[in-house]
Amino acid sequence: MGMVLAASGAMNAMYGVKPGAAWAIICRLPMIFWIGRPALPVTQLLLAVYLLVSRRVPLWTGVLLAAGAVLFPIARIGRIELVSIAVDLLTPVPSVYCLFRHSVEW
């Protein structure tokens, strides 16, 4: 998260955008641009439920995906660093497992 904020600050400085002006520009965007944020954990949770119900992955994989989806908004909105680190570690593990377990042989 710190890297994103640092990059954002660097870009603002490079293009001469004042700190408060960046948020004013973002807040004027149409609502369609705000849908992406809540869509990530919702779709991840729906994917986890689907994978668990259809028994396409082991239980631990679906549970880790679901846990990452539930904890994602808590970590980001609450800005709780330990939960954020947990989400950053929880989410890729089942994804990489599914990638290698269900990948097509070349």
Side-chain angles (χ1 to χ4, degrees), residues 31-46 69 72-73 76-77:
M31 199 61 175
I32 191 72
F33 291 110
W34 293 92
I35 292 174
R37 285 245 170 174
L40 173 71
V42 170
T43 54
Q44 184 176 340
L45 184 60
L46 291 174
F72 183 84
R76 300 303 187 247
I77 295 170

Side-chain angles (χ1 to χ4, degrees), residues 5 22-23 37 44 46 48-49 51-53 64 66 69 78-80 87 94 100:
L5 292 176
W23 282 109
R37 285 245 170 174
Q44 184 176 340
L46 291 174
V49 169
L51 292 173
L52 284 172
V53 170
L64 285 181
R79 298 190 187 272
I80 304 169
V87 169
F100 287 112

Side-chain angles (χ1 to χ4, degrees), residues 45-103:
L45 184 60
L46 291 174
L47 175 65
V49 169
Y50 167 75
L51 292 173
L52 284 172
V53 170
S54 66
R55 298 181 188 262
R56 293 181 183 265
V57 295
L59 179 66
W60 69 269
T61 307
V63 169
L64 285 181
L65 274 174
V70 170
L71 292 175
F72 183 84
I74 295 169
R76 300 303 187 247
I77 295 170
R79 298 190 187 272
I80 304 169
E81 290 183 22
L82 289 177
V83 179
S84 180
I85 291 169
V87 169
D88 292 344
L89 294 175
L90 281 176
T91 303
V93 171
S95 302
V96 170
Y97 170 78
C98 289
L99 172 72
F100 287 112
R101 174 87 161 74
H102 301 288
S103 64

